[in-house]
Amino acid sequence: MNPKRLQHILMFLTCLAVMLAVTVRRDGKLLGHALNNGYQQQAKAVSTDTLRQLQDGTYIINTTQLGKDVLGYGGPVPLEIYIKDGKVQKVIALNNSESEDFFAEASKLLTYWNGRTTKEALTMKVDGVSGATYSSRAIITNMRLGLQYAAKNTSKTNLWEKMDMSWKYAAGLVVVLMGAIIPLFFRNKRYHTFQLILNVIVLGFWGGTFINYSLIMGYLANGIDIWTSLVPLIMLITAFIYPFFGKKNYYCNHICPCGSMQDLAGKVTHKKWKMSKQTVKWLTSFRQILWAVLMVMMFIGVGFSWMDYEIFAAFIIQSASWIVLVLAAIFLVLAIFVPRPYCRFVCPTGTLFKIAEGAK
């Protein structure tokens, strides 16, 4: 076997092992299966019957089991649905692994079904919250499953129900497929600029879809529902599988909304700051050291909250913290004068990709 190919495989497997280890360290489970007694005891403690009744006649449907395969951005999003006299009284979100800011936006949906009969609630058309697509979609699906259970209907969903066939989903799927396929066969600067614009608008601001540590660890901990996660799954393929076929940095160069926005900012002027080779080398070393420090922190079980501050979240303006927005603005301005400053000198997710493909 070619030594470089062998090195690539070993580095990929090493990165996978590292990510699996820190995922288990954080969540205590892998692909939805509990791996330590602490997590099993915690899960058992919060587990309740799917259906129970209070003394006043209120029925409570717990979707922990019904929606165990329905994933938000960070994992399952279980709900408790309170139904009295055939009408929804309230909906409560149970503990989940969603980012706090994003879920705060999605939680606005929880009152939409109040006062509706079970039949009315099942037929309601509820749109997801812009800025919290995955979390809101998980809430909507959990509600449907819970209401179906309450109405003694099957809790299984068919393929078309599981797929979010909204314009947003369809547009995101088209754009990510364009980015994943067309540059393989057709290279043109004007088309590349067009693809960058689509990445920023459709994948970034409209769809809020990108790869970051939260997404990767969420999938490793809870598994992937292929039909509801086609767009990020294609992104992951271009990031980790394409390099095996000689397409290094493919996701970063052709699909990533953050990288695309920096590239577009760089087109504002041809005048760039001159950086010495030593400065570039030092900044590259800083990115690698930063990644190593963050991984060590996760290994020892602290500092997982840094994942909420990767600047990708700035695309979801409604949910992003002010710190993320400020950081994103700073790097966007820098990108006018320095090519891809965040990607080259900071990005922990991009560093993972580079190490997995045996690059620096």
Side-chain angles (χ1 to χ4, degrees), residues 53 96 149 211-212 229 291 330 344:
Q53 187 176 20
N96 57 67
Y149 185 89
I211 300 177
N212 60 3
S229 306
W291 182 82
I330 291 173
R344 294 167 63 200

Side-chain angles (χ1 to χ4, degrees), residues 21-94:
V22 296
T23 298
V24 172
R25 186 73 175 85
R26 186 189 71 166
D27 298 319
K29 56 179 179 175
L30 198 60
L31 301 178
H33 301 287
L35 297 180
N36 61 53
N37 292 332
Y39 181 83
Q40 291 173 349
Q41 292 173 0
Q42 180 184 9
K44 185 175 181 181
V46 301
S47 177
T48 60
D49 293 334
T50 300
L51 179 65
R52 67 184 193 274
Q53 187 176 20
L54 303 180
Q55 291 183 349
D56 65 355
T58 300
Y59 287 96
I60 302 176
I61 294 87
N62 185 308
T63 69
T64 299
Q65 292 301 317
L66 296 175
K68 63 182 180 180
D69 296 323
V70 179
L71 305 181
Y73 197 81
V77 184
L79 306 174
E80 278 193 340
I81 307 169
Y82 289 69
I83 299 176
K84 184 176 182 181
D85 299 327
K87 293 185 178 181
V88 177
Q89 301 298 306
K90 63 179 179 178
V91 181
I92 297 176
L94 301 178

Side-chain angles (χ1 to χ4, degrees), residues 203-216:
L203 298 179
F205 287 112
W206 193 19
T209 308
F210 40 77
I211 300 177
N212 60 3
Y213 263 81
S214 294
L215 178 77
I216 296 172

Side-chain angles (χ1 to χ4, degrees), residues 73 131 133-134 168 201-210 312 315-316:
Y73 197 81
T133 303
Y134 291 95
K168 181 189 296 185
I201 296 175
V202 177
L203 298 179
F205 287 112
W206 193 19
T209 308
F210 40 77
F312 308 111
F315 283 108
I316 310 175

Side-chain angles (χ1 to χ4, degrees), residues 123-145:
T123 58
M124 286 176 61
K125 174 64 176 177
V126 180
D127 295 323
V129 176
S130 178
T133 303
Y134 291 95
S135 297
S136 57
R137 187 166 60 203
I139 289 175
I140 294 168
T141 304
N142 269 274
M143 278 299 300
R144 185 177 68 246
L145 293 173

Side-chain angles (χ1 to χ4, degrees), residues 4 85 99 102 104 113 175 177 185 195 208 222 225 234 244 269 274-275 283-284 297 318 360:
K4 289 187 177 180
D85 299 327
S99 296
F102 292 168
W113 295 271
V175 171
L177 285 172
F185 307 100
Q195 180 73 49
N222 304 290
D225 186 332
I234 293 171
F244 281 105
T269 178
K274 292 183 179 180
M275 300 175 63
L283 290 173
T284 301
M297 288 171 60
Q318 304 93 320
K360 294 183 177 180

